[in-house]
Amino acid sequence: MDAVFLFGQLFTGLSVASILLLAALGLALSFGLMRVINMAHGEFLMFGGYLTYLASQWVGPQFLWLAFPLAFVGSALLGAVLEFTVIRRLYGRPLDTLLATFGISLILQQAARQIFGSTGVPVMAPAWLSGAITVHGGALDGLTFPYVRLFVMALSALVLIAVWWLLNRSRFGMHVRAVNQNREVASSLGVNTRQLDMLVFALGSGIAGVAGAGLALLAPVNPTVGSAYIVNAFLVVVVGGVGSVLGGAVAALLLGCITALAEGLTSVSLAQAILLVVVVAFLQWKPRGLFPTQSRALEEA
Amino acid sequence: METQGSVSHTVPRPGRSVRAQSVKAAHLGKAALWPTLVVLALLLAPFVLASYPLALLGRVLALAIAALGASVVWGRAGILSLGQGLFFGLGGYALAMHLKLAATPKGELPDFMVYSGINKLPWFWQPFHSAPFALLMVVVLPGLAAYLIGWLMFRRRITGVFVSIITQALVLAFVTWLGGAQGLTSGSNGITDFQTFMGLNLRGPDFSRELYWATLLILGVSFAGTAWVLNTPFGSLLTAIRDNENRSRFLGYNPAAFKVAAFVLGGVLSGLSGALYTLHLGTISPAMIGVAFSIELVVWVALGGRASLWGAAGGMVLGQLAKDRISSAAPEAWLYIMGALFVLVVMYLPEGVAGLLKSRLSGGAGRRPAPLPMHPEVKDAV
Amino acid sequence: MPSEQTGAPLLDVRDITVSFDGFKAIQNLSLQVWPGDLRVLIGPNGAGKSTLLDTIIGKVRPASGEVQFGGEIISRLPEYLIARRGICRKFQAPGVLESLNVRDNLRLAVRSDKDVFASLSPKIRPQEEARVNELLTLTGLTERQDVQAGQLAHGEKQWLEIGMVVAPRPRLLLLDEPTAGMTAQETAQTAELIRALAGQHAVLVIDHDMHFVELLAAPVTVLHQGQVFREGSLATLRDDPDVMEIYLGRPKEAAD
């Protein structure tokens, strides 16, 4: 195996991982807070992708300034609506929520299929993102780092930092952490937990929208783009540990790289199976993920 | 765990028992009426129905066996597996491999292997020349897979949505591998072009009727067997473990062992269902057993009523019949209807139609009311 | 209470330490219980009482030290095997099997063969049915045997669970606040029941309710900060200024 190929795979893996990270971040947020698994999360990603496509149609080549805010706000609003109409009515019933949101995902996919067609719509990245850094000479001669992929990685790092700041340094984050610890106590101390649920859910959906916008730069957007990512995003949450942002980040990088390497060494179809075997083996060792939240109160019953 | 169900029960009053008994007797009479009618209708169907509706009915009855499995695993043990398609597929492929070999002239390779440039039959195909072996594998493969997966998960106390996620990922990995391994499994085209099965001509005029009877028989036996198993203390223990895993554990029961057993039972039923379905359709492919199939199975079971075998099987049959009608008349609308059903059933009919009928019939005072929709893993999962 | 402190202890907790994320909930604690003993554990919140019971039944593993039961080291056995050795615990929140009726709750508790394949046999042993009837009488739930356990009143649930943990005739009973949420009369009845059980079983009770502890008339062990602080009769402990001090500022009755 030559080094250029290996590093090329790893680099691609990292850029995929950065999308995966953003997708998983939203899931981890709402799961940590509400113990809710949102099967329609992938469709928020898709929605962000289509909004990016629309932005590029409306304003031409320099659409990125519009695309990201639009994808974020649009997906966040959609998330808020979903939270208000369905999710909060199923509170405390995680398995039922999972099924209901799967229904939502079917509806959103079919809507996208009817509006945009089932083949992917291409989004042309602006000209300034079309180049690549190429390594000349040395052992890695010929290795290229496309600007678009670097951009997506930077974007996800930026979002990760912003979320970290929001959770650990802001008042909002303090409320989120309080509810994470103990919903009843937080509520009795005056945290509006319902409002917080909705905000966090919308935030997670918005981040998925941004991920979709990033993804649109890498590949055409189609109605099933979300479901292609969602299963692995769930695995990231499981491996990272429930509701742990740091765990999610580490797990996304690990899984992204494992997938990329497995795809490089074997085949795309076998890579998915290998990834799963790795995840299940990992769970034998750490059934609560990389960074589990431990609490005796949670284990009562 | 506090009671958090939406099911309301009347508080027992003194003097209730006499009245309750007469209600129970009436209820029994009513309860026995409908199953009898259904069984009669199914027995008469081959004599009244034309060939297409009969084939359709046979097909969905085959799927009803998988629904029984989902009822055990989810309705009784509270494990929401989104990967039943894996076991369904293992059963289906086990039989399909035999049918393919039976349809291939002696000394030749199955056509898709020839196209992929494979020149020797892979080792794991070899034993499938034997029909008894293939039939055995129809239940052994899914059972073994369910045992292994269940053991790995439940031993480490992976519960709730985590089980759902992992099982879904498993079925995805399985179909992705199937789809990619063109030369070994015929890839995404699936295995097709079957001719005979144990001397029967699959394309003969009588076969579809014979298959209908076989399906009905296997469904009946599976139904009775499952009902019997759930009536033993094993069934109560599954309920007990779902209600309060810790209490069961500290009474000396090993919850993991019971969950694995339920999972294996569900897997075997799915495998049987998959094999029959393959015979009905004359083909099996990754698209038939994937994530969408697995979760659709769950929603039909939910619609019918996951806690009751009648509900689960009935939901599957009626759901699939509706799907056949509506998706051919208005294919665009079908996914919207499906999606809306997921949401509405979960929000407004958590016990399914069977739960609704039961509480109507018994006025909410049934001997064993439907289980609460609250899932213990809210606390256990973390 | 008769406490034959000769011979081997039934339960021998040897120098255990339990920590959660660095916080030591139990530190170098040792405790012995002899067959037929009745023993009460008290102590302020966070003293490690529930954690001690968790450790005995295997829910929590000690970082160091070991638990012996009947001469066997049990602190590395899986929980269900510890239970099968003859240790049953009643949890603080009533842990009944909500969707099953009262009788089925007791039936599952009484069954002697707890393996999966044995559970597939629908045959009910007559002596097990007799035991179930006996337990229904003991807990006063005979009239309520067909009621779904989830529908019982709080006190009834507590009694049902006591019935369930007594059912397999364990050698050691662990009762975690058995009277929580009970009326004064129910509490008195429970105390009477527990005193009747001691002798046949060794019983270890945790409670905050000093009135109830008094009714039990048994030796008391005070835990404080994960260690055994004092042992003695309730009367002597009441006069102990150090014990008073660790409880200071909190009315005894409202300690939970």
Side-chain angles (χ1 to χ4, degrees):
Chain A
M1 177 98 352
D2 78 288
V4 174
F5 175 75
L6 199 70
F7 277 92
Q9 278 293 332
L10 266 180
F11 178 72
T12 311
L14 281 177
S15 67
V16 171
S18 58
I19 300 277
L20 208 53
L21 166 61
L22 293 186
L25 200 56
L27 283 176
L29 277 175
S30 53
F31 193 84
L33 196 69
M34 300 181 260
R35 302 282 175 262
V36 153
I37 280 288
N38 175 18
M39 295 288 279
H41 195 72
E43 278 56 52
F44 293 127
L45 202 111
M46 169 197 87
F47 191 58
Y50 279 118
L51 289 176
T52 304
Y53 166 73
L54 290 179
S56 75
Q57 296 289 303
W58 292 331
V59 297
Q62 299 308 321
F63 62 95
L64 286 184
W65 63 268
L66 175 65
F68 286 103
L70 188 67
F72 180 81
V73 174
S75 299
L77 280 177
L78 189 64
V81 170
L82 178 63
E83 201 278 337
F84 188 74
T85 51
V86 177
I87 290 178
R88 71 170 44 183
R89 287 164 215 273
L90 295 172
Y91 183 72
R93 291 161 57 190
L95 296 183
D96 287 341
T97 313
L98 190 155
L99 289 178
T101 50
F102 186 82
I104 305 282
S105 112
L106 285 182
I107 293 173
L108 291 176
Q109 275 185 35
Q110 181 61 10
R113 206 169 281 127
Q114 289 200 298
I115 298 170
F116 297 100
S118 48
T119 47
V121 293
V123 176
M124 281 295 290
W128 56 274
L129 276 180
S130 61
I133 299 173
T134 306
V135 177
H136 293 290
L140 298 177
D141 186 46
L143 182 62
T144 59
F145 302 107
Y147 286 146
V148 183
R149 289 189 183 269
L150 288 170
F151 176 78
V152 168
M153 285 155 85
L155 173 76
S156 99
L158 206 69
V159 173
L160 187 66
I161 291 168
V163 169
W164 183 86
W165 182 88
L166 199 62
L167 285 181
N168 291 293
R169 291 285 179 273
S170 74
R171 196 177 170 74
F172 169 78
M174 197 178 74
H175 285 176
V176 171
R177 282 178 292 135
V179 175
N180 258 338
Q181 290 273 314
N182 192 326
R183 177 168 288 265
E184 282 72 37
V185 171
S187 172
S188 70
L189 290 176
V191 177
N192 184 343
T193 55
R194 296 217 125 185
Q195 193 186 25
L196 198 72
D197 283 346
M198 197 207 259
L199 282 176
V200 167
F201 196 82
L203 176 67
S205 310
I207 295 172
V210 173
L215 192 62
L217 298 176
L218 301 180
V221 185
N222 64 53
T224 56
V225 66
S227 43
Y229 267 82
I230 194 70
V231 174
N232 285 350
F234 282 138
L235 291 183
V236 165
V237 175
V238 171
V239 170
V242 171
S244 163
V245 171
L246 178 65
V250 176
L253 293 180
L254 276 177
L255 296 194
C257 291
I258 291 172
T259 313
L261 283 181
E263 282 180 4
L265 296 173
T266 59
S267 67
V268 175
S269 61
L270 211 53
Q272 181 71 35
I274 291 173
L275 179 71
L276 195 74
V277 170
V278 171
V279 168
V280 171
F282 171 83
L283 289 176
Q284 297 302 304
W285 172 51
K286 274 183 177 284
R288 278 145 194 252
L290 280 172
F291 298 96
T293 26
Q294 272 183 345
S295 157
R296 241 191 81 204
L298 289 170
E299 296 195 25
E300 285 296 327
Chain B
M1 181 143 316
E2 298 301 316
T3 310
Q4 299 193 33
S6 57
V7 190
S8 64
H9 300 280
T10 49
V11 179
R13 289 174 299 269
R16 167 183 160 270
S17 58
V18 177
R19 207 192 49 189
Q21 255 162 23
S22 62
V23 169
K24 201 186 283 176
H27 176 198
L28 263 180
K30 257 191 216 170
L33 179 68
W34 285 105
T36 315
L37 285 180
V38 169
V39 172
L40 270 179
L42 290 177
L43 286 171
L44 288 175
F47 305 104
V48 249
L49 289 182
S51 72
Y52 177 76
L54 185 67
L56 176 66
L57 184 62
R59 204 158 76 210
V60 301
L61 290 179
L63 291 175
I65 300 172
L68 297 177
S71 176
V72 173
V73 173
W74 184 31
R76 196 52 89 96
I79 303 161
L80 177 55
S81 161
L82 297 182
Q84 293 304 97
L86 171 63
F87 311 120
F88 183 87
L90 283 173
Y93 269 91
L95 188 63
M97 283 162 77
H98 170 71
L99 295 176
K100 190 68 194 173
L101 289 178
T104 307
K106 244 190 161 54
E108 288 181 26
L109 283 178
D111 47 12
F112 65 86
M113 289 188 188
V114 178
Y115 304 148
S116 315
I118 291 199
N119 44 32
K120 186 173 174 296
L121 195 64
W123 62 269
F124 65 89
W125 275 77
Q126 302 280 2
F128 284 90
H129 277 295
S130 148
F133 177 83
L135 287 179
L136 197 64
M137 285 304 118
V138 160
V139 290
V140 169
L141 278 183
L144 216 56
Y147 179 81
L148 193 70
I149 295 164
W151 186 75
L152 285 174
M153 289 191 303
F154 304 132
R155 187 179 70 105
R156 295 312 315 242
R157 303 201 188 156
I158 294 170
T159 54
V161 289
F162 295 94
V163 171
S164 311
I165 290 170
I166 290 172
T167 48
Q168 185 181 40
L170 273 168
V171 79
L172 181 70
F174 182 57
V175 297
T176 315
W177 175 76
L178 278 176
Q182 182 67 39
L184 301 178
T185 66
S186 186
S188 52
N189 299 327
I191 304 180
T192 185
D193 282 335
F194 307 138
Q195 309 271 346
T196 58
F197 175 53
M198 298 178 81
L200 294 171
N201 181 1
L202 302 189
R203 293 161 182 203
D206 300 327
F207 183 73
S208 76
R209 186 151 302 177
E210 286 158 3
L211 184 57
Y212 178 86
W213 288 118
T215 307
L216 195 58
L217 179 72
I218 295 175
L219 174 61
V221 171
S222 306
F223 194 105
T226 311
W228 182 83
V229 165
L230 290 183
N231 246 326
T232 63
F234 176 78
S236 309
L237 275 158
L238 292 184
T239 311
I241 290 163
R242 181 196 62 197
D243 276 3
N244 195 332
E245 187 161 334
N246 264 339
R247 181 67 278 164
S248 318
R249 178 176 292 125
F250 293 115
L251 283 173
Y253 294 101
N254 181 6
F258 284 88
K259 286 176 157 187
V260 170
F263 207 58
V264 169
L265 179 56
V268 167
L269 288 168
S270 286
L272 270 178
S273 171
L276 277 170
Y277 197 63
T278 303
L279 273 176
H280 278 281
L281 250 63
T283 177
I284 185 148
S285 68
M288 287 160 56
I289 64 173
V291 171
F293 167 82
S294 303
I295 201 159
E296 230 186 276
L297 165 74
V298 166
V299 88
W300 296 131
V301 168
L303 176 64
R306 63 182 182 238
S308 128
L309 292 180
W310 280 105
M316 184 54 136
V317 168
L318 296 179
Q320 290 290 341
L321 291 177
K323 178 184 179 179
D324 181 78
R325 284 292 114 114
I326 300 172
S327 66
S328 55
E332 267 90 39
W334 176 246
L335 279 171
Y336 291 122
I337 296 176
M338 263 303 274
L341 264 178
F342 270 91
V343 181
L344 296 177
V345 166
V346 161
M347 287 177 75
Y348 300 108
L349 212 58
E351 301 306 325
V353 175
L356 190 73
L357 288 178
K358 196 165 194 174
S359 56
R360 283 278 162 80
L361 276 176
S362 59
R367 193 181 71 87
R368 185 173 285 174
L372 308 167
M374 173 70 196
H375 299 290
E377 61 271 11
V378 183
K379 286 177 182 167
D380 282 353
V382 186
Chain C
M1 277 296 114
S3 169
E4 39 149 330
Q5 306 243 327
T6 53
L10 176 66
L11 175 76
D12 193 357
V13 176
R14 293 186 169 182
D15 197 27
I16 58 164
T17 297
V18 175
S19 64
F20 296 116
D21 286 334
F23 165 71
K24 286 189 172 152
I26 291 185
Q27 283 186 57
N28 306 100
L29 185 149
S30 294
L31 183 87
Q32 281 87 35
V33 177
W34 274 264
D37 261 3
L38 173 59
R39 180 82 69 87
V40 183
L41 277 178
I42 62 170
N45 273 341
K49 304 180 300 284
S50 286
T51 306
L52 175 60
L53 297 200
D54 283 346
T55 315
I56 295 171
I57 62 169
K59 201 174 172 207
V60 165
R61 303 289 165 176
S64 65
E66 63 188 33
V67 180
Q68 289 196 5
F69 184 70
E72 180 193 12
I73 299 173
I74 56 164
S75 38
R76 279 183 282 279
L77 285 178
E79 294 104 314
Y80 70 95
L81 288 183
I82 296 178
R84 287 189 197 176
R85 294 288 189 275
I87 301 182
C88 267
R89 173 181 180 184
K90 194 209 151 304
F91 290 94
Q92 202 169 325
V96 295
L97 309 168
E98 309 247 336
S99 326
L100 299 177
N101 65 25
V102 170
R103 195 176 185 85
D104 282 345
N105 266 270
L106 290 171
R107 270 183 182 152
L108 292 187
V110 163
R111 285 182 73 83
S112 53
D113 196 340
K114 298 191 167 169
D115 280 320
V116 172
F117 288 105
S119 75
L120 286 167
S121 156
K123 210 176 69 193
I124 297 167
R125 295 199 183 92
Q127 69 266 34
E128 291 185 351
E129 272 314 87
R131 176 76 175 145
V132 169
N133 290 332
E134 197 182 307
L135 290 162
L136 283 169
T137 315
L138 181 79
T139 53
L141 289 168
T142 309
E143 298 271 288
R144 307 280 271 156
Q145 57 177 298
D146 290 326
V147 177
Q148 218 190 353
Q151 309 301 315
L152 293 176
H154 185 81
E156 289 177 318
K157 282 186 188 167
Q158 297 277 45
W159 277 63
L160 174 57
E161 201 189 1
I162 293 175
M164 287 164 75
V165 295
V166 171
R169 303 183 201 277
R171 285 187 284 168
L172 175 63
L173 266 178
L174 307 172
L175 304 175
D176 198 342
E177 299 198 28
T179 62
M182 284 190 180
T183 62
Q185 196 204 345
E186 285 169 338
T187 302
Q189 286 174 335
T190 308
E192 205 172 303
L193 174 70
I194 291 172
R195 289 177 50 174
L197 290 171
Q200 310 165 40
H201 319 263
V203 187
L204 194 57
V205 185
I206 293 184
D207 221 300
H208 282 294
D209 179 352
M210 290 304 150
H211 175 63
F212 172 64
V213 173
E214 200 170 359
L215 288 174
L216 290 176
V220 174
T221 302
V222 184
L223 292 194
H224 181 50
Q225 294 182 342
Q227 291 175 312
V228 175
F229 187 73
R230 284 286 189 284
E231 288 187 300
S233 73
L234 188 61
T236 52
L237 291 173
R238 268 192 170 147
D239 297 332
D240 188 323
D242 294 337
V243 174
M244 291 295 284
E245 197 191 316
I246 62 170
Y247 273 103
L248 202 69
R250 61 174 75 222
K252 286 173 186 172
E253 304 292 309
D256 58 337

